[in-house]
Amino acid sequence: MARTSPPRYPLAGGALIAIGSIVGTAIGLFTAIGPTRGFLIGLGAGVVISCAMWVIDLRK
């Protein structure tokens, strides 16, 4: 019988993108950068962290 490898559960980073967007907007509302820039900064940070998680997960 052939051995089967155990199921692999990849990490998901979509929640990090959503949380980054929401937190960035909230921070932007109360600072001088503004909500649009805060959203874009939070979105960018979420995408970077999500991509980093994806690269780390590929190496496993």
Side-chain angles (χ1 to χ4, degrees):
M1 283 193 188
R3 282 186 157 183
T4 59
S5 61
R8 187 169 177 272
Y9 300 105
L11 299 175
L16 295 173
I17 296 171
I19 291 170
S21 302
I22 293 168
V23 170
T25 303
I27 290 172
L29 283 171
F30 300 108
T31 62
I33 63 170
T36 302
R37 286 186 185 162
F39 171 78
L40 293 173
I41 291 169
L43 180 67
V47 168
V48 167
I49 294 170
S50 179
C51 288
M53 282 179 53
W54 176 64
V55 169
I56 291 169
D57 191 42
L58 280 178
R59 293 182 181 179
K60 283 187 187 179

